[in-house]
Amino acid sequence: MFERTLQDLIRGLRAHKASSKAQEEAFLAEAMVEIRDELRGKDMALKAEGVLKMCYLMMLYPLPPPPGFAFHVVEVMSSPRYHLKQLGYMAAPMAFSGETEEVVLTVNGIKKDLMSPHLSLPPLPLTALPHLLSLSPSLSHTLHPDLLHLLTHSSPRIRKHAVLCLLPCWEAFPEGLREGFPRLRDKLLDEDQGVVGATVGVVMELARRQGGKNYLPLAPELFGILTGSSNNWMLIKVVKLFAILTPLEPRLVRKLLPVITNLISSTSAISLLYECVRTCIVGGMLDPDRPEGEALARVCVEKLGGYLRDEGGDQNLRYIALLAMVKIIPTHPHMVAEYQEEIMESLDDPDVSIRMRALELVTSMVDRNNLQSIVDQLLAHLSPAETPSLPSAMASLQAAAAGDSPSSTSAAVSLSPAYRLLLAQRLLGIIAQDTYTNVTDFQWVVSVLVDVAYVSRVDVGAEIRDMLLDVVGRVKSVRTYAVGVLEKVVGDDAFRERGRDGTGEEAIVEAATWICGEYSTYLSSPLSAISDILTPTLSACSPSLISISLQATAKIFGSHCADVSSRWNSDTHEQTKALVTSLQSGYSTFLSHPEIEVQERAVEFSQLLAFMDADLASHIPPKPKLNGDLPGMEGGFEDPNDSDNPPYPKSLFLFQPLFTSHELNAVALHAQGAVRVPEGLDLERDIVPAGGFVDSDLPELESEEDEEEAIELGAGGGAGMEELRKVLREQEGKKKKGKGKKKDGELTAEEKADKERRKAERRARQKDNPYYLGEKEEEVDVDVDDIPIVRLDDEELVAAEESVEADSKKSKTRSSKSRSKAQKPPPTPPPDFDRTGELPEGASDTPAPPSRPLAADRSTSGLAGVDLLSPSPLARGSTSMYEEYTAGDADEKSEMENGNGNGNGTTELSVGEKQAEVEAAKEVEVVKVKRKKKKKQAE
């Protein structure tokens, strides 16, 4: 019968690729039937072919393996034929999972193949073991001695594979690390560089997962590899290892500094250069306090800058150079700033990863001198030239094949929303860095924020809103300019329309509306601002914007009314009445709004406007004065009794005091923590006594010590309030008179006994109540003369008292110095900028000490819980059958066999003593039994 091979299966799949899905599924079903028949057959070659085809289909399609597939793989793995066994081990990682029970069937076969004397057999299981060992801790525990045995194999290929298998083995069996660590350390000195490279990789992974504390003893071997190896990949791993070890052992810096400097100046591998720079930074070699730190940093930056200036260089080299400069700039920003032009040119690179690194560098090297230039360049990248649409992938490939300029690709990257969002966020972060520490012109800040709002086309509205409110609240001198700019934003209908697409413009309109309302005295046209805010399309906006708009129009209206009161006449009277009517019409739309905040503000302002409308209707505007020459008629026919009343209606000042009673200032960071607790306020006292669990049937206990305090009724308020206080005091006196308490001397013996009985009953009821703390025990009179006098010479208390006194003296001297300094007028900075914010009255501007963060709980399970430096606990059982005998051990063994006949007088140990020593050293992998030698006693 004709059997389809793997090549035939692949040809059939390719032939059915162009056909319908039903035909392809039918072909797959037919192939699966053939595979099941081959797996159930007795021919091992056909079975191996079926396993191979099934693995191929599992990689291409989400097909579940047939039942018993793992068992068939075990059968192929146990085949005596080499090429079939190879297929079995290749399929094992795909056939076995954590729930596969057939893994236990492979143990003996794997051990037999690992210990085979044929050089071609051990590599087969070693290729599959990294996956199998991670599935079963028991398999790792069983095969761990065999892996250690293979570390001394004569074949370098087998030793290298065995070293690589130790990492997944120790992940599943962490206790094996303690036993195998000496063997792993020996492989760092192996004669084959491939074995050494594999060992360095395993050690680096272990140190990365555990921390470097366990691997500090390997520093001499690693330093020898660093100075003697010429393999760049191995050097990269060793340098990474030293980056982990150097923070734990600062003495390594002095040893590594010459070698790292030599590598930086001589290597042509940019990856190795980057790792050397990273190690220098992590290890503190570039610390400005070190004498050689400045020179080493200069060498690193010049080496990296050469890759940036190489216009026709490799893009990977440019990326690595930028990445390394990101590491250097925190300690030496002035050196990196010398390459500002090259870094800014990298923002135009078509590779988006290079752009990201350049953008990260740009945000880190900003200072007062280059802030505006950098922000302007970033703003230019944020608003590139308009293109009709993004190029397709085919068009990009054709342009690259034709060798066109990458400008089109650069523009396409600039138009991507993700890049624009990141660029806008970084631009805003540059401006607001450390509370605007690099800003010297806040009018420029407001204009940049508005420009970003218009050209970004991404959702950064919340960030711009917060910054606008923060800048206007802190800098009083910029409020006039900000209101003039934002007044135009409020009146821009196209900008409002864009905000409905969810790109963040609505949040900016909120900030502009709030600022125009809060600082309405700076508006050029209050009436135009009211009409721009209360647009007919306001009802389609979010509830937060509607509530802010209603509040802002009320503020602007109140400021406008207070302003027109000084020039009140019949014309302003009619204009104000029309404005009130217009506001009432605008507010009426929101009287039944579903959002309670909007509805509440609309109702409140409508009621106030109704009161003001009635006042305007009843008020008679003043008549124009006559300018005749008749004597005594200068005042016209005005009533002399109305000289005390103003010519304008008093309701004009109804709105303004509601919003101008307190000035809104920036709040300091620690203002809430600086609020003092008022006197008499006990924060620990329960609001509800006894937690609300009070037995209503219990009679109230009378307290002899506590007396009811008189209720404070206050003062003032007029005659009505005085009458109310009089009635309340009379009622209070009647209650005290009716509920007078007797003193202990006035109680009879029966009353005292009844009182004690009630107390005892109450204590018995409250005994099992978890919310009852119980009463204090009665104090026992103690004779003070009987208390012994002991002198406490506590040095710590004395030192603490002395430190307190010293601190008080220092504070006094500081206060005196501060008073002397306060007498001198301080120089005013160019912008009046409130950096700290407002604090409660009497509070200090010193920030409260931050609470100590809780230490991160380090995982103590798995490899992280193995501490190789601490003394190992006694082994609970033998974990290894591997033994190694050295020449010294053989000599000791021969001496032991010679007995007492040798010249040293060595005595032979009994069987019990041997057993005891071996059991005490079970955890040690290399067992060296030391014999106790006793000197002969002199006859």
Side-chain angles (χ1 to χ4, degrees):
M1 180 175 124
F2 175 74
E3 298 293 342
R4 186 184 285 121
T5 63
L6 178 61
Q7 289 77 10
D8 298 331
L9 178 64
I10 295 173
R11 292 191 187 99
L13 289 173
R14 291 176 178 174
H16 289 79
K17 205 69 178 175
S19 58
S20 62
K21 187 174 181 61
Q23 293 178 351
E24 185 179 3
E25 291 178 353
F27 178 79
L28 286 175
E30 182 182 355
M32 288 295 295
V33 172
E34 292 181 359
I35 291 173
R36 292 191 188 96
D37 294 338
E38 291 172 354
L39 293 177
R40 285 195 295 264
K42 300 233 177 165
D43 190 352
M44 193 58 67
L46 290 179
K47 191 184 292 287
E49 190 71 25
V51 167
L52 187 61
K53 290 191 291 185
M54 189 66 229
C55 291
Y56 181 79
L57 291 178
M58 289 171 64
M59 289 189 293
L60 290 182
Y61 303 96
L63 296 175
F69 180 67
F71 183 77
H72 298 306
V73 172
V74 174
E75 289 181 323
V76 178
M77 290 170 60
S78 60
S79 174
R81 302 173 66 179
Y82 178 82
H83 68 285
L84 299 182
K85 186 186 291 290
Q86 186 180 20
L87 293 178
Y89 279 112
M90 183 188 67
M94 298 187 64
F96 298 148
S97 62
E99 301 176 355
T100 306
E101 299 177 354
E102 288 82 359
V103 177
V104 296
L105 302 177
T106 64
V107 176
N108 292 331
I110 293 175
K111 290 176 70 68
K112 181 180 177 182
D113 293 337
L114 287 175
M115 295 302 164
S116 175
H118 303 286
L119 292 178
S120 58
L121 281 181
L124 294 182
L126 289 174
T127 56
L129 276 182
H131 176 76
L132 299 180
L133 292 173
S134 62
L135 299 178
S136 174
S138 60
L139 183 63
S140 301
H141 181 276
T142 305
L143 297 180
H144 183 253
D146 302 312
L147 292 176
L148 294 182
H149 179 76
L150 291 178
L151 293 180
T152 59
H153 200 278
S154 59
S155 173
R157 178 189 175 194
I158 295 177
R159 294 201 303 271
K160 182 174 70 173
H161 280 286
V163 169
L164 296 175
C165 288
L166 285 176
L167 181 61
C169 180
W170 288 336
E171 286 179 345
F173 175 50
E175 290 300 325
L177 176 60
R178 192 183 300 278
E179 181 183 358
F181 183 72
R183 297 285 175 265
L184 187 68
R185 183 174 187 174
D186 293 341
K187 295 299 105 182
L188 289 174
L189 304 176
D190 196 276
E191 58 186 9
D192 186 77
Q193 291 300 307
V195 178
V196 176
T199 307
V200 171
V202 171
V203 173
M204 187 188 68
E205 285 298 319
L206 290 172
R208 187 177 62 84
R209 301 181 190 186
Q210 284 187 289
K213 184 181 67 172
N214 288 338
Y215 305 97
L216 281 173
L218 302 181
E221 290 85 351
L222 295 174
F223 185 79
I225 297 172
L226 184 63
T227 55
S229 177
S230 59
N231 187 343
N232 286 335
W233 292 112
M234 191 183 302
L235 290 176
I236 288 173
K237 293 179 182 178
V238 174
V239 172
K240 282 185 176 181
L241 261 173
F242 277 117
I244 299 174
L245 300 180
T246 305
L248 303 175
E249 182 52 74
R251 291 177 295 179
L252 286 173
V253 175
R254 186 174 64 255
K255 191 75 173 177
L256 290 173
L257 194 56
V259 183
I260 296 293
T261 305
N262 184 30
L263 284 175
I264 291 174
S265 58
S266 61
T267 184
S268 59
I270 185 65
S271 301
L272 179 58
L273 176 63
Y274 168 75
E275 292 299 336
C276 291
V277 172
R278 180 176 173 273
T279 303
C280 291
I281 296 169
V282 173
M285 301 180 191
L286 301 184
D287 192 353
D289 297 335
R290 300 183 64 88
E292 65 278 357
E294 195 76 12
L296 183 58
R298 174 65 64 182
V299 172
C300 295
V301 173
E302 289 179 355
K303 189 81 173 180
L304 297 171
Y307 294 108
L308 288 180
R309 287 175 175 169
D310 188 7
E311 298 180 358
D314 189 2
Q315 294 290 89
N316 296 326
L317 302 183
R318 181 184 292 270
Y319 175 81
I320 295 295
L322 292 172
L323 190 61
M325 282 189 172
V326 170
K327 305 289 185 182
I328 298 178
I329 198 168
T331 56
H332 298 80
H334 59 283
M335 294 184 182
V336 179
E338 297 176 2
Y339 298 90
Q340 179 178 341
E341 295 182 3
E342 289 79 5
I343 295 172
M344 296 303 297
E345 290 175 0
S346 299
L347 291 174
D348 295 325
D349 198 280
D351 190 348
V352 68
S353 59
I354 293 179
R355 286 188 168 207
M356 295 296 105
R357 299 286 78 79
L359 188 60
E360 189 175 356
L361 261 180
V362 167
T363 56
S364 301
M365 63 182 186
V366 172
D367 56 17
R368 290 197 173 200
N369 299 325
N370 58 11
L371 172 64
Q372 294 192 11
S373 62
I374 290 178
V375 169
D376 291 341
Q377 292 184 50
L378 294 181
L379 196 59
H381 283 83
L382 197 59
S383 55
E386 293 283 340
T387 56
S389 62
L390 293 177
S392 62
M394 182 61 68
S396 300
L397 291 175
Q398 291 177 354
D404 294 341
S405 174
S407 58
S408 60
T409 308
S410 177
V413 174
S414 299
L415 291 174
S416 64
Y419 177 75
R420 297 174 65 82
L421 177 62
L422 181 62
L423 183 60
Q425 290 175 346
R426 291 295 177 89
L427 191 150
L428 297 177
I430 288 174
I431 299 175
Q433 183 179 5
D434 294 337
T435 320
Y436 315 98
T437 186
N438 296 320
V439 176
T440 57
D441 184 3
F442 285 94
Q443 292 186 2
W444 171 81
V445 172
V446 173
S447 62
V448 168
L449 293 177
V450 175
D451 290 342
V452 173
Y454 272 87
V455 304
S456 63
R457 302 278 180 168
V458 288
D459 191 5
V460 289
E463 291 87 343
I464 298 176
R465 175 194 60 197
D466 297 340
M467 289 182 64
L468 281 173
L469 297 177
D470 193 27
V471 168
V472 174
R474 291 179 184 272
V475 188
K476 297 181 179 180
S477 59
V478 82
R479 292 173 182 174
T480 304
Y481 178 79
V483 171
V485 172
L486 297 177
E487 186 178 2
K488 301 176 183 177
V489 175
V490 171
D492 192 346
D493 295 334
F495 188 76
R496 282 174 170 267
E497 189 69 24
R498 279 171 47 188
R500 297 175 187 173
D501 299 334
T503 52
E505 284 82 359
E506 192 169 271
I508 303 167
V509 175
E510 289 180 7
T513 304
W514 187 89
I515 291 172
C516 290
E518 183 66 24
Y519 308 105
S520 55
T521 55
Y522 302 117
L523 287 171
S524 60
S525 176
L527 299 181
S528 300
I530 291 176
S531 61
D532 291 337
I533 294 173
L534 285 181
T535 58
T537 59
L538 182 62
S539 58
C541 299
S542 63
S544 61
L545 178 56
I546 296 175
S547 60
I548 292 174
S549 300
L550 297 180
Q551 190 87 355
T553 52
K555 292 178 182 179
I556 297 173
F557 176 70
S559 176
H560 172 70
C561 290
D563 183 49
V564 300
S565 64
S566 60
R567 56 179 189 277
W568 189 259
N569 51 37
S570 57
D571 294 336
T572 55
H573 181 86
E574 296 299 328
Q575 291 177 0
T576 306
K577 286 182 65 176
L579 181 59
V580 170
T581 305
S582 175
L583 286 175
Q584 285 180 326
S585 175
Y587 288 159
S588 63
T589 310
F590 308 102
L591 293 177
S592 59
H593 196 276
E595 186 70 24
I596 188 62
E597 182 74 16
V598 176
Q599 185 183 136
E600 181 182 6
R601 297 191 185 192
V603 170
E604 289 175 353
F605 295 147
S606 297
Q607 294 298 322
L608 292 175
L609 288 173
F611 174 78
M612 192 172 179
D613 189 21
D615 188 23
L616 289 172
S618 62
H619 184 268
I620 300 175
K623 297 179 181 179
K625 295 182 180 181
L626 298 176
N627 295 326
D629 296 334
L630 296 176
M633 298 297 294
E634 289 83 359
F637 297 96
E638 295 178 355
D639 189 357
N641 297 327
D642 293 341
S643 58
D644 296 337
N645 296 326
Y648 54 84
K650 295 182 179 180
S651 60
L652 292 180
F653 289 90
L654 181 63
F655 278 82
Q656 189 182 28
L658 299 177
F659 310 109
T660 58
S661 57
H662 299 281
E663 184 181 3
L664 290 179
N665 297 320
V667 181
L669 180 62
H670 305 281
Q672 186 67 30
V675 176
R676 296 180 179 179
V677 179
E679 295 182 2
L681 176 62
D682 186 8
L683 297 178
E684 303 297 331
R685 184 179 179 182
D686 293 337
I687 298 177
V688 179
F693 295 90
V694 181
D695 193 351
S696 59
D697 298 335
L698 295 178
E700 295 183 0
L701 292 180
E702 294 143 350
S703 174
E704 294 83 3
E705 293 85 13
D706 300 335
E707 294 182 359
E708 188 175 356
E709 298 181 356
I711 301 175
E712 181 63 32
L713 299 178
M721 285 298 299
E722 290 295 336
E723 185 68 22
L724 177 61
R725 293 190 190 96
K726 182 179 179 181
V727 174
L728 291 176
R729 289 192 181 99
E730 290 177 357
Q731 292 179 354
E732 183 182 357
K734 291 179 181 179
K735 290 180 181 179
K736 288 184 177 180
K737 185 176 181 181
K739 296 183 180 180
K741 297 179 181 179
K742 295 183 179 181
K743 298 182 179 179
D744 290 342
E746 300 176 359
L747 294 176
T748 62
E750 294 179 357
E751 289 176 345
K752 289 182 179 180
D754 184 59
K755 181 178 178 180
E756 294 296 331
R757 180 182 57 79
R758 284 189 279 112
K759 282 186 178 181
E761 290 178 357
R762 184 174 181 272
R763 287 176 186 149
R765 288 191 182 98
Q766 298 288 358
K767 182 178 180 181
D768 298 328
N769 189 353
Y771 300 99
Y772 180 68
L773 300 179
E775 298 180 0
K776 296 182 179 180
E777 297 181 358
E778 297 182 359
E779 297 181 358
V780 181
D781 295 335
V782 181
D783 191 1
V784 180
D785 298 332
D786 295 340
I787 301 176
I789 300 175
V790 180
R791 180 179 177 82
L792 300 176
D793 295 331
D794 196 339
E795 297 180 358
E796 295 181 0
L797 291 177
V798 175
E801 292 177 359
E802 292 177 355
S803 65
V804 170
E805 293 178 0
D807 293 341
S808 62
K809 291 180 180 179
K810 290 181 180 179
S811 63
K812 290 180 181 178
T813 56
R814 289 174 184 171
S815 61
S816 62
K817 290 180 180 179
S818 62
R819 283 194 292 270
S820 63
K821 290 181 180 179
Q823 295 174 0
K824 300 179 181 179
T828 55
D832 186 11
F833 180 59
D834 185 9
R835 188 176 300 278
T836 58
E838 193 176 54
L839 283 165
E841 186 176 355
S844 174
D845 58 352
T846 304
S851 59
R852 186 177 180 180
L854 297 175
D857 296 335
R858 187 169 186 132
S859 176
T860 57
S861 61
L863 283 174
V866 180
D867 189 2
L868 299 177
L869 301 181
S870 63
S872 59
L874 292 177
R876 289 170 293 277
S878 178
T879 60
S880 175
M881 299 173 58
Y882 179 76
E883 293 182 355
E884 180 182 87
Y885 297 94
T886 60
D889 297 330
D891 294 339
E892 290 182 357
K893 184 177 180 181
S894 62
E895 290 178 2
M896 182 184 65
E897 291 176 352
N898 292 335
N900 297 333
N902 54 14
N904 296 331
T906 307
T907 59
E908 185 176 357
L909 295 175
S910 64
V911 177
E913 291 172 342
K914 292 179 185 178
Q915 246 178 357
E917 289 198 6
V918 172
E919 287 179 359
K922 276 182 180 179
E923 66 190 77
V924 184
E925 180 188 340
V926 182
V927 181
K928 294 183 179 181
V929 183
K930 296 183 179 180
R931 311 303 174 187
K932 297 180 180 179
K933 299 181 181 180
K934 297 181 180 180
K935 295 183 178 180
K936 289 185 178 181
Q937 297 179 357
E939 295 179 355

